[in-house]
Amino acid sequence: MKQLAVRLFDPLLDGLANIGRTGLFLLGLLTALPRGLTYPRELLRQLWFVGAKSLIIIMISGLFVGMVLSLQLYYTLSIFGGTSALGTVIALSLYRELGPVVTALLFAGRAGTAITAEVGLMRATDQLSAMEMMAVDPMAFVASPRFLAGVIAMPLLVAVFNLMGIFGGHLIGVTWLGIDNGTFWSNMTSNVGVWKDVINGEWKALVFGVFISLIAVYQGYTAPPTSEGVANATTRTVVSSSIAILALDFVMTAFLM
Amino acid sequence: MPAPNPSSVDSAAAPLVRVRGLTTVLSGQKVFDALDLDIERGKITAVMGPSGTGKTTLLKHITGQMHAAAGTVLVDGQDVARLPREGLYTLRERIGYLFQNSALLSDYDVFENVAFPLRQHTRLQEDLIRNVVLTKLQAVGLRGAARLMPSELSGGMARRVALARAIVFDPMLILYDEPFVGLDPIALNQVLKLIRTLNRELGITSVLVAHEFAAVREAADHVHLIANGKLVASGTPGELAKGDSPWTAQFFGGALEGPVPFQYPAPPLAPAFGFSGARS
Ligand SMILES: Nc1ncnc2c1ncn2[C@@H]1O[C@H](COP(=O)(O)OP(=O)(O)OP(=O)(O)O)[C@@H](O)[C@H]1O
Ligand SMILES: [Mg+2]
């Protein structure tokens, strides 16, 4: 009986301990951040690495999500005879929900894993120790720029995703399903609020960016110095990020929007 | 320089590194058991001992990468474990460390790897950096490889690049962790010569962890033999080669039996293989 309880609660306690350790790591990261800013070239390199290189996958995904939204919502709206609202519904779904969440999930898979694997390998091959030996703090030189780049890149990527989504939705709605171009745009622009919808969506993006980057850097930084350790850390980055994204999304939607 | 040097009175004569009562426990094994040893200034001191005896661990203590359960490590009069981060980093800028596995930064090419410490801690002009880096690369025979990435180097080449990086600042102390492994005889002699030159001409105190006694004999002024967490023998290479004690006799004579255990500590063999000892 006790065995069973231990088996059930162990992962739970493990998870809690992990959250605690990640929090402590965040404190260390924030302390190192000002020193990390003295390496602007690293930050630019990482922005290129996590941001620019995620652009293609984000654009393609945004386009397809917008196109599917258009088809699905047109069908739903046509039941109520409200297909003229198509532009509004597509934009609201994207800005308030799908843009931040889908981008974040893609970002965790594309950039988060890359960060974890890279930092984990640097740990495994003693590169982080070598930096310490050369009197360079890897928290400032390696962890901070990667963390910051992720935080900066996420809101920008979400904006790109949303634009591509609306473009895709317009493509299907206006050129294929035959909705009037003027109706599509005027309906959308009069019902989508900049603060209420667009900016709130970007807040989500920022928070997701913080969590994904934190988890990715932490997992890489603390990965056991073996190939198995790095592989497991990469998996954990995807799993933890995805759960964090979906849970935070619910909390933020419920209380902020 | 931070903090007045406590041993400045006799700093010229005092050992550069002074280890006292060092006790370290790693994954349940006692690696060091009240270890005492000194590294003399301006000398090449070799640290030898069976694999897994804690040679790398000792270097990590000297550079403050690892903390002991008990005991002190003084480097240039400063207690490494007590130094705040700033002080530790200032000290490390004066120490070159050659990692057992080179540990080159995979993001940068050979040139940038060697230039890394300079770029981090100085504001030198680009052409000056270039001169220093190419001089060091020339010294290890790899000036032509300056634009290769670490993944394009052989193990021996990577070691020499790491060596160039470790000496780029002309440090007061260099710690070489097995610099000869994987080098062909020519490269080995070059590295050996380089270690000697750095010591003789620049007066850099050197700690040489190595298994190659022939090389150690040529370069080292002094040899410490560590086994079972203790300093079991210490002297000039010539003295140790005579093999007066059972430790040196086994280690340098290469005898299979002796006080130095070949096995990592383990429970008795028979039960491990499933024999219950007495078979009636
Ligand atoms: N990070 C660590 N965690 C736990 N145990 C460790 C760690 N590093 C080393 N050890 C243990 O400490 C002992 C000494 O290791 P160390 O790497 O210092 O040996 P070494 O003398 O350098 O050996 P080699 O000649 O093979 O390089 C070993 O028994 C090893 O198992
Ligand atoms: Mg070693």
Side-chain angles (χ1 to χ4, degrees):
Chain A
M1 193 59 218
K2 193 162 163 236
Q3 286 279 314
L4 187 68
V6 166
R7 281 246 288 280
L8 280 176
F9 283 111
D10 245 21
L12 198 69
L13 290 177
D14 257 19
L16 280 177
N18 229 327
I19 291 175
R21 278 194 292 270
T22 313
L24 286 178
F25 185 79
L26 178 63
L27 282 184
L29 199 55
L30 293 179
T31 334
L33 215 52
R35 272 176 292 126
L37 289 174
T38 58
Y39 305 114
R41 271 185 51 187
E42 277 307 293
L43 180 60
L44 284 180
R45 248 166 43 93
Q46 292 309 321
L47 270 174
W48 169 257
F49 186 65
V50 300
K53 286 192 166 179
S54 304
L55 210 52
I56 297 290
I57 178 181
I58 296 292
M59 288 175 76
I60 294 174
S61 308
L63 186 70
F64 278 114
V65 168
M67 283 165 36
V68 167
L69 269 184
S70 197
L71 288 174
Q72 292 283 19
L73 292 174
Y74 181 84
Y75 171 77
T76 311
L77 288 172
S78 67
I79 298 174
F80 305 103
T83 51
S84 59
L86 185 66
T88 306
V89 193
I90 290 175
L92 286 182
S93 322
L94 282 170
Y95 278 118
R96 294 175 62 93
E97 182 64 31
L98 288 173
V101 171
V102 176
T103 307
L105 291 173
L106 290 169
F107 188 71
R110 166 65 185 75
T113 52
I115 291 175
T116 304
E118 197 199 6
V119 178
L121 267 175
M122 291 175 89
R123 161 76 64 209
T125 52
D126 274 344
Q127 294 183 48
L128 298 184
S129 313
M131 283 184 193
E132 290 206 15
M133 271 315 305
M134 293 185 278
V136 172
D137 182 7
M139 272 304 241
F141 190 83
V142 175
S144 301
R146 283 167 174 77
F147 173 73
L148 214 54
V151 175
I152 296 172
M154 258 302 287
L156 299 177
L157 290 173
V158 168
V160 171
F161 183 96
N162 289 339
L163 284 181
M164 289 305 290
I166 287 171
F167 174 70
H170 180 267
L171 204 68
I172 297 295
V174 174
T175 50
W176 187 3
L177 300 172
I179 290 188
D180 179 55
N181 188 34
T183 319
F184 186 92
W185 290 120
S186 66
N187 215 309
M188 183 194 306
T189 43
S190 58
N191 287 311
V192 177
V194 170
W195 284 102
K196 187 163 54 71
D197 305 313
V198 179
I199 300 292
N200 264 340
E202 288 294 324
W203 272 118
K204 279 189 178 178
L206 193 70
V207 172
F208 295 163
V210 168
F211 273 80
I212 297 168
S213 316
L214 173 64
I215 291 171
V217 175
Y218 170 75
Q219 288 295 345
Y221 209 83
T222 56
T226 58
S227 31
E228 196 195 7
V230 176
N232 285 339
T234 311
T235 309
R236 271 201 302 277
T237 292
V238 176
V239 174
S240 311
S241 300
S242 306
I243 293 173
I245 290 163
L246 297 173
L248 284 166
D249 182 49
F250 170 74
V251 173
M252 291 185 72
T253 309
F255 294 104
L256 296 180
M257 304 188 74
Chain B
M1 199 134 318
N5 190 338
S7 71
S8 54
V9 194
D10 56 350
S11 70
L16 184 58
V17 179
R18 180 178 287 227
V19 177
R20 286 293 174 271
L22 186 69
T23 303
T24 309
V25 181
L26 281 176
S27 36
Q29 294 282 325
K30 218 174 200 175
V31 179
F32 296 127
D33 186 6
L35 177 75
D36 294 338
L37 63 79
D38 288 339
I39 309 285
E40 299 295 335
R41 266 172 216 275
K43 298 269 167 64
I44 299 181
T45 304
V47 175
M48 307 188 74
S51 187
T53 201
K55 301 179 296 293
T56 301
T57 308
L58 177 66
L59 298 187
K60 285 186 177 169
H61 279 302
I62 294 176
T63 54
Q65 294 176 73
M66 200 181 261
H67 290 297
T72 55
V73 177
L74 297 182
V75 177
D76 201 18
Q78 295 172 299
D79 185 343
V80 175
R82 294 258 167 78
L83 281 178
R85 221 193 49 134
E86 313 295 318
L88 190 60
Y89 274 17
T90 322
L91 179 66
R92 283 180 183 169
E93 280 179 41
R94 300 159 62 209
I95 302 179
Y97 192 113
L98 187 71
F99 278 82
Q100 200 164 352
N101 57 3
S102 300
L104 297 178
L105 307 182
S106 47
D107 280 351
Y108 300 103
D109 64 12
V110 165
F111 183 94
E112 286 304 320
N113 261 286
V114 180
F116 187 80
L118 292 174
R119 292 202 194 289
Q120 294 305 319
H121 301 299
T122 68
R123 298 238 162 276
L124 292 182
Q125 298 280 313
E126 189 57 38
D127 51 347
L128 201 54
I129 290 187
R130 210 183 123 76
N131 281 351
V132 175
V133 171
L134 291 184
T135 311
K136 301 299 179 189
L137 281 175
Q138 174 79 20
V140 297
L142 287 176
R143 190 166 50 87
R147 289 301 163 197
L148 294 183
M149 294 303 284
S151 54
E152 297 169 310
L153 303 176
S154 75
M157 288 162 84
R159 184 76 43 77
R160 281 143 74 195
V161 174
L163 184 54
R165 182 177 68 178
I167 60 177
V168 77
F169 254 135
D170 296 333
M172 64 163 181
L173 170 66
I174 308 188
L175 311 171
Y176 303 95
D177 197 353
E178 311 208 0
F180 306 124
V181 174
L183 296 185
D184 62 64
I186 301 167
L188 189 150
N189 275 322
Q190 277 170 350
V191 170
L192 187 63
K193 213 176 114 208
L194 197 64
I195 291 175
R196 278 211 318 247
T197 313
L198 287 167
N199 169 257
R200 304 277 136 87
E201 284 172 17
L202 300 175
I204 303 175
T205 308
S206 311
V207 177
L208 177 59
V209 171
H211 292 301
E212 298 79 357
F213 189 59
V216 165
R217 204 170 175 163
E218 263 189 62
D221 301 302
H222 201 90
V223 181
H224 289 313
L225 180 61
I226 302 179
N228 288 357
K230 298 253 190 218
L231 186 67
V232 294
S234 179
T236 64
E239 286 165 14
L240 264 70
K242 276 191 237 140
D244 296 337
S245 82
W247 296 98
T248 50
Q250 186 199 357
F251 198 71
F252 300 113
L256 288 179
E257 297 293 328
V260 181
F262 167 67
Q263 295 282 347
Y264 188 83
L269 188 61
F273 284 154
F275 301 125
S276 53
R279 286 193 305 175
S280 58

